[in-house]
């Protein structure tokens, strides 16, 4: 059993603005990249190092695929905000992220936070999980998907994920303008990736057109940058 344990430098010169935070999707990406969720733009490899002891429970990662152009999405955004405020479940921290897809932009409102990259990430998930693209879709730890507005479904999925052993431990450290990332895991999963997500909290939009026209939408932490830092080989 060999851990992954390497320090990477990335995002040099990028400061963390007010209301932004660094969220490294450790357990998620080490699992998700086994089925190609990591995406096509990998950076330097993460190399194996000396054996490690059992890992503490890493955060449960919640990815909500949503859109300001979807009338079913505001309740899911609100639920994710509540989970984010809750902070943990069963002692496991929660990392909440909204990823805004772009395929509803044709309905009269272009979601300012949408990007094709997030749509493609959802497509890779649906291919892996055997589901379909829809919003709001909540993916929990890269392994389960539930209707994002279903409190019962989300709670059950998060509680189940929190009971599972960690696949990785992730530590972040700022050194000047550089972000140092250290990832440790008890095994070496082939093809796994380390993915950095930068989210911004406290965002809201007054929607002028489309299905949510006339409403002011308030968001959970929104992903503004999604970047692959390394691959396990």
């Amino acid at each position: 059993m060999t851990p992954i344990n390497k320090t990477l430098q990335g995002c040099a010169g990028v400061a963390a603005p007010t209301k932004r935070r660094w969220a490294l999707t450790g357990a998620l990406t080490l699992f998700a990249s086994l089925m190609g969720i990591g995406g096509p733009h990998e950076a330097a490899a993460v190399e194996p190092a000396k054996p490690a002891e059992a890992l503490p429970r890493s955060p449960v990662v919640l990815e909500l695929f949503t859109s300001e152009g979807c009338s079913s999405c505001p309740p899911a955004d609100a639920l994710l905000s509540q989970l984010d405020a809750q902070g943990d479940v069963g002692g496991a921290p929660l990392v909440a992220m909204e990823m805004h897809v772009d395929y509803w932009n044709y309905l009269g409102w272009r979601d300012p936070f949408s990007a094709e990259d997030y749509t493609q990430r959802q497509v890779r998930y649906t291919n892996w999980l055997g589901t379909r693209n829809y919003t709001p879709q909540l993916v929990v730890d890269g392994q389960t998907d539930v209707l994002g507005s279903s409190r019962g479904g989300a709670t059950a999925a998060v509680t189940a994920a929190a009971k599972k052993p960690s696949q990785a431990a992730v530590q972040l450290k700022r050194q000047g303008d550089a972000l140092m990332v250290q990832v440790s895991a008890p095994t070496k999963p082939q093809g796994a990736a380390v993915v950095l997500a930068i989210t911004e909290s406290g965002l809201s939009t007054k929607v002028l057109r489309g299905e949510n026209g006339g409403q002011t939408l308030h968001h959970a932490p929104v992903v503004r940058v999604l970047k692959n830092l390394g691959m396990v080989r």
Side-chain angles (χ1 to χ4, degrees), residues 43-199:
V46 181
E47 298 174 354
K50 62 184 179 180
E53 297 179 356
L55 299 173
R57 183 63 181 95
S58 56
V60 175
V61 180
L62 309 178
E63 293 178 83
L64 177 66
F65 293 94
T66 184
S67 170
E68 290 187 351
C70 162
S71 60
S72 301
C73 288
D77 299 343
L79 177 57
L80 189 66
S81 293
Q82 293 168 13
L83 291 170
D84 181 56
Q86 177 181 323
D88 69 87
V89 59
L94 300 179
V95 175
M97 299 185 289
E98 288 188 8
M99 295 196 185
H100 288 235
V101 299
D102 64 354
Y103 50 78
W104 295 129
N105 286 350
Y106 76 94
L107 292 177
W109 178 254
R110 186 187 183 283
D111 187 334
F113 307 120
S114 66
E116 184 180 1
D117 286 348
Y118 307 143
T119 299
Q120 292 304 314
R121 184 171 180 84
Q122 185 186 30
V123 169
R124 290 192 290 271
Y125 270 133
T126 55
N127 289 341
W128 167 254
L129 297 172
T131 61
R132 59 183 177 83
N133 280 14
Y134 67 92
T135 54
Q137 180 185 33
L138 180 66
V139 176
V140 180
D141 255 3
Q143 303 182 51
T144 306
D145 89 298
V146 298
L147 179 64
S149 56
S150 171
R151 182 178 298 276
T155 299
V158 170
T159 300
K163 295 178 180 178
K164 295 180 180 179
S166 298
Q167 298 188 54
V170 182
Q171 292 182 319
L172 301 180
K173 184 178 180 181
R174 293 292 299 272
Q175 291 189 358
D177 289 335
L179 176 67
M180 310 301 294
V181 182
Q182 181 171 306
V183 182
S184 299
T187 59
K188 181 185 177 182
Q190 293 296 318
V194 179
V195 177
L196 176 71
I198 301 176
T199 65

Side-chain angles (χ1 to χ4, degrees), residues 187-209:
T187 59
K188 181 185 177 182
Q190 293 296 318
V194 179
V195 177
L196 176 71
I198 301 176
T199 65
E200 186 170 3
S201 300
L203 295 173
S204 62
T205 303
K206 184 176 182 179
V207 178
L208 302 179
R209 297 175 297 278

